[in-house]
């Protein structure tokens, strides 16, 4: 768990640095709305990263509490809705769609009785969303 905490901490530092760079660069080239949207995207992507970590832990502990997986999936979907509502960027929307599909596939696998679904597509799609939000 310490390694996961360190990764999360490094991830947050990287996101904070990226937000600062985006804010400075975008502030010179565009209006405040674009900066606000970029920051919202990065913040929500960071929240999704935390939710994906929670999903990984929920899948690992599914035998103890199978409802955690469903709660983690719901959390990711809620965060995806926030991003989708706030952007008109085609790359961000594609990343959101890909992550939504990955979440749906995990949900379907769980409903079909898979107690340890492969969540690597969710992790990969979340990483892509973070990349798109920070580029």
């Amino acid at each position: 768990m310490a390694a996961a905490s360190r990764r999360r901490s490094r991830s947050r530092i990287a996101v904070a640095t990226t937000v600062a760079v985006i804010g400075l660069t975008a502030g010179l080239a565009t209006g405040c709305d674009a900066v606000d949207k970029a920051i919202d995207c990065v913040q929500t992507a960071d929240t999704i990263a935390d939710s994906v970590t929670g999903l990984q832990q929920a899948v690992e502990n599914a035998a103890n509490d199978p409802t955690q997986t469903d709660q983690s999936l719901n959390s990711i979907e809620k965060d995806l809705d926030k991003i989708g509502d706030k952007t008109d960027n085609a790359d961000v929307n594609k990343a959101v769609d890909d992550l939504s599909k990955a979440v749906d596939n995990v949900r379907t696998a769980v409903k079909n009785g898979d107690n340890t679904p492969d969540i690597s597509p969710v992790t990969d799609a979340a990483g892509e969303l973070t990349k798109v939000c920070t580029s």
Side-chain angles (χ1 to χ4, degrees), residues 43-122:
Q43 289 172 337
T44 306
D46 186 45
T47 301
I48 289 172
D50 289 343
S51 297
V52 170
T53 300
L55 176 61
Q56 289 169 327
Q57 293 170 348
V59 168
E60 290 171 10
N61 297 322
N64 297 335
D65 185 1
T67 63
Q68 284 183 353
T69 301
D70 195 48
Q71 290 170 353
S72 294
L73 293 170
N74 289 341
S75 177
I76 294 169
E77 287 175 332
K78 179 179 153 195
D79 293 333
L80 288 173
D81 287 344
K82 287 180 190 175
I83 292 177
D85 291 344
K86 291 183 180 180
T87 187
D88 55 1
N89 181 294
D91 292 334
V92 172
N93 283 328
K94 182 181 178 340
V96 167
D97 290 345
D98 291 346
L99 184 49
S100 291
K101 288 175 191 171
V103 167
D104 288 343
N105 290 339
V106 170
R107 189 179 300 282
T108 299
V110 169
K111 284 182 182 177
N112 290 336
D114 187 351
N115 292 328
T116 56
D118 178 14
I119 62 166
S120 60
V122 173

Side-chain angles (χ1 to χ4, degrees), residues 122-134:
V122 173
T123 305
D124 293 345
E128 184 61 25
L129 176 60
T130 300
K131 183 175 137 186
V132 169
C133 282
T134 58

